[in-house]
Amino acid sequence: MAEWLKARGQKILISVRVQPGASKNSVTGIKEDTLNIKLCSPPVDGRANDSLISFVAKMLDVSRSSIQIIKGTKTRKKLLEVSGVTIADAEKALTPLP
C-alpha cells in the first residue's frame, strides 16, 4: 500500500504537496511519501485549496463535500480526509502513470 494513502475508519487520508500556478492541473508523481499535484489556481484567498478539492473530487469521482483539508490549509503540504472511496480505488485513480 502507498505510504501517502492511509485508512482512518471509514475514510482515507491522502498526503499531498501542492504546486499552485501551474499551466494545468495534474498529478506529477510521488516523492517522500507525498502525492505531488500541480494546480492552475494561484495561492490567493484559498483558491488553490478550492481547486485542489475540486480536482481530487473529480479524480476520485466523489462530491466536493466528501473531501476536507484537515492539515495544511496555509501551506503547500496538506492532509486530505476523504469519504466515499476505498484505498484501492483512490490509489488506482491518483497514482500517476509512468
Side-chain angles (χ1 to χ4, degrees):
M1 181 186 339
E3 289 295 317
W4 52 271
L5 191 58
K6 297 188 183 334
R8 180 195 245 181
Q10 298 294 328
K11 299 179 180 183
I12 62 169
L13 300 176
I14 304 172
S15 177
V16 300
R17 183 175 188 284
V18 175
Q19 179 182 339
S23 59
K24 67 177 184 171
N25 293 343
S26 63
V27 175
T28 60
I30 300 165
K31 186 175 180 183
E32 298 173 5
D33 298 330
T34 303
L35 183 68
N36 294 316
I37 297 177
K38 287 186 178 182
L39 298 171
C40 297
S41 298
V44 178
D45 299 328
R47 291 193 292 189
N49 287 340
D50 289 342
S51 182
L52 174 64
I53 290 171
S54 294
F55 178 66
V56 173
K58 184 176 180 182
M59 296 281 296
L60 296 177
D61 194 27
V62 298
S63 67
R64 284 178 42 89
S65 62
S66 298
I67 301 174
Q68 291 184 339
I69 299 173
I70 61 172
K71 187 175 180 183
T73 57
K74 303 236 185 254
T75 65
R76 288 179 183 236
K77 192 165 182 178
K78 302 177 186 302
L79 186 62
L80 305 179
E81 183 180 69
V82 184
S83 59
V85 67
T86 66
I87 285 183
D89 288 342
E91 187 170 21
K92 184 178 177 183
L94 294 172
T95 301
L97 297 173

